[in-house]
Amino acid sequence: MNPERPEPPEEPDGRPIGRRVFLGTLGLGALGVATAPVLQRGLEGLLGSVAGKDPTGLTGLLPNGGGFRYYSVAASVPHRSAADYRLTVDGLVDHPRGYTLAELRALPQTRLVKDVQCVTGWRVPGTPFQGVRLADLLDAAGVRPSARAIRFTCFDGTYSESLTLAQARRPDVLVALRMQDKDIGHDHGGPVRLYVAPMYFYKSAKWLSGITVTDRVRPGYWENLGYDVDAWVGRSNGRTDEPTS
């Protein structure tokens, strides 16, 4: 993600690309890669080398050989180590606080194995995620009666996401510390990311740094560009994928 807020991808004349055109273009690119395995293997190294320098995130929306293609809407993202990482929980709560990575690791952990579905069409089956249930952090903070939603911010300084309070309290929503049975690395959104199992993967915000309890839903980065706020897999964004949970 970016140190400065990026503009939406543009057409040659400078007009923002519409959501349908944007997804359609990416879908054609993903189809081309998927139908040419030899070419795909050659592209993996190239895409990996340029994705971190691509402020549009377009290169990152093509799946690689392992099924995932991680991307950012920023040109660069600062690293956070175990020594300097902090996750804040604040807003409409009685007990705001910050958590170090060690403190999050010391809390009860939940492991889920679900399919991951990207809104651009690719799917990775049976992916393990492990971390702290978001509901547990909310309970520890003491959510106030006026609360209705959660806003998530990230240490790239750009990306944001949202859930209703009811969605956030689901048992399959994690503040994730591990993915595929490994600590989450920087390129995968670590050391801590959100994992919202039943929704399209853009809701699982990477590089998570803030959880703010709010009085209403405040649409996140992609929702402000036309994606659905309630992003249930198979029941949103005009798609009919099989549910992931």
Side-chain angles (χ1 to χ4, degrees), residues 67-68 73 230 235:
F68 284 94
V73 295
D230 292 323
R235 294 187 284 126

Side-chain angles (χ1 to χ4, degrees), residues 121-154:
W122 55 265
R123 188 182 187 102
V124 183
T127 304
F129 279 87
Q130 182 174 312
V132 182
R133 285 182 175 172
L134 177 56
D136 292 345
L137 296 181
L138 296 176
D139 288 344
V143 175
R144 295 177 181 171
S146 57
R148 296 292 181 271
I150 313 294
R151 177 174 172 81
F152 304 94
T153 50
C154 307

